[in-house]
Amino acid sequence: MTIEPLPDLLVAPIVRAALAEDLGRAGDITAQACVPVDVRLTADFVARRGGVVAGLACVRLAMAELDPSVRIDPLSADGQAVPAGTTLVRVSGSARAILTAERTALNLLGRLCGIATLTQDFVEAVAGTSAKITDTRKTTPGLRALEKYAVRCGGGTNHRFGLDDAILIKDNHVAACGSVGEAVRRAKAFAGHLVKVEVEVDSLLQLREALAHDPDVIMLDNFTVDDMREAVKLVDGRIKLEASGGITLDTVRAFAETGVDVISVGALTHSAKVLDIGLDAVDA
C-alpha cells in the first residue's frame, strides 16, 4: 500500500515537543556521563512482533533534531505489513544523539504502528462487504494528525479531523434543540455549500424523523444488528449510513453485513496496543 506521507511541517513540531519533554532542563545526563562525544553507533529499530508500519518519519526527525548528520536508512515503508523480527530502519551516527532520541522515536513509532495494525485487523474483518472502517476524534491530544495518518496506513479512512470541518449533531445537541428534526433543520440552514451535515440517532423512530429532513449522513448509534439491518432497508440507499458505538473485532463483521456504508471505531486510536519495537545496536 502506498501512503502519502505527512509533511515534515506537521510532524516536526510534535517530535520536537516530545524531545523537549524528555530532555528536561539539563539534557540526557546519562549519555553525557557515559558516552564520549566522538563515539559513533549503528542501531536497528526492530519489530518484536508482526504488524503494520506507520510513523517512520518520527524516527528520522527525532534523530535529525539532535544531529542532522545521523544517517537514516529505512528498510520498510509506512503501510507495509511486516513479520516479527523485521528491521524497520537503521540509524548510524553520533551515539549520543541516537541514544538521546531513542525513547521519543520508539514511543511515537510504536504508538503509530499499533494503531495501523489494529486498523488493518478491522479492515480485514469486513473484507468483502461494502463497509469502510473509519476513526473518530477520540485521539491523544496533540497527536491527532499522526494517529489519523496511522489509521490510513492500516487501510482505514478518516472521519472529521475537528469540530470545524463537518457538522455532527450528537444526542446532547438534539437535547439542546428539542428534537432531531429541529437540530438538522438548524444545521442545514447554517452550513455552507461544502459542509456536510451528519446526525446521530439512537432508535428507528429517530431515524424516521431524521430522514424527513434529509441530512447527508445518519449515524446509527448503539443499534443492534437487527435494528441496523432494518435501518438499512428503511433508508434504501438514499442517505449514507454510519454505524457506531462499541463495535469490536468480534462484532464488526456482523454489522458490516447489514449493508451500512461506514463503521466508525474509536478503539482504533484510544485503545490500540503499542507495537513492540526495540532499538538494537549492531556491528557496522
Side-chain angles (χ1 to χ4, degrees):
M1 179 188 303
T2 301
I3 305 296
E4 182 69 25
L6 288 176
D8 284 357
L9 184 67
L10 291 178
V11 183
I14 298 172
V15 172
R16 195 173 296 122
L19 283 170
E21 179 181 55
D22 219 14
L23 289 167
R25 295 166 297 175
D28 183 356
I29 59 174
T30 306
Q32 293 171 33
C34 300
V35 183
V37 173
D38 59 350
V39 170
R40 296 182 63 80
L41 179 70
T42 296
D44 290 343
F45 286 82
V46 180
R48 306 288 194 229
R49 66 181 180 90
V52 179
V53 181
L56 292 177
C58 296
V59 176
R60 172 174 56 81
L61 291 169
M63 298 296 164
E65 188 67 27
L66 296 179
D67 183 356
S69 70
V70 171
R71 178 174 174 176
I72 309 294
D73 294 314
L75 302 174
S76 61
D78 284 355
Q80 179 182 351
V82 299
T86 300
T87 298
L88 306 181
V89 58
R90 173 167 288 186
V91 296
S92 302
S94 163
R96 278 195 180 185
I98 291 171
L99 295 175
T100 298
E102 173 184 357
R103 179 44 55 195
T104 291
L106 284 171
N107 283 350
L108 291 170
L109 183 62
R111 170 74 177 151
L112 300 182
C113 288
I115 290 171
T117 301
L118 181 59
T119 301
Q120 185 187 67
D121 290 343
F122 271 90
V123 170
E124 290 180 346
V126 303
T129 73
S130 59
K132 292 184 177 181
I133 299 296
T134 191
D135 53 28
T136 70
R137 285 169 45 245
K138 296 175 183 178
T139 54
T140 307
L143 297 184
R144 182 168 295 170
L146 289 179
E147 292 182 346
K148 282 182 171 282
Y149 170 75
V151 168
R152 298 198 298 277
C153 289
T157 61
N158 295 144
H159 211 289
R160 61 178 180 161
F161 274 74
L163 295 172
D164 61 343
D165 58 349
I167 293 176
L168 176 45
I169 303 164
K170 303 282 282 182
D171 55 350
N172 288 329
H173 298 107
V174 171
C177 291
S179 69
V180 167
E182 178 61 15
V184 175
R185 185 194 67 77
R186 293 182 190 180
K188 291 186 69 174
F190 176 89
H193 70 289
L194 294 180
V195 177
K196 288 189 174 183
V197 175
E198 179 173 10
V199 62
E200 175 188 277
V201 300
D202 58 19
S203 67
L204 291 170
L205 181 63
Q206 282 193 334
L207 172 61
R208 291 185 176 91
E209 183 181 357
L211 281 172
H213 293 271
D214 199 30
D216 298 294
V217 185
I218 297 176
M219 179 188 292
L220 308 173
D221 186 49
N222 287 303
F223 273 47
T224 65
V225 171
D226 287 341
D227 281 350
M228 197 163 291
R229 190 177 295 111
E230 181 64 25
V232 170
K233 183 178 178 181
L234 181 64
V235 172
D236 194 28
R238 289 175 287 166
I239 292 174
K240 191 174 291 292
L241 290 178
E242 174 184 338
S244 184
I247 297 172
T248 68
L249 271 174
D250 291 332
T251 62
V252 68
R253 180 78 191 186
F255 284 103
E257 289 177 343
T258 66
V260 293
D261 303 288
V262 177
I263 300 175
S264 55
V265 183
L268 299 182
T269 51
H270 72 58
S271 295
K273 183 178 180 180
V274 170
L275 189 70
D276 187 7
I277 300 170
L279 182 68
D280 299 332
V282 298
D283 295 327

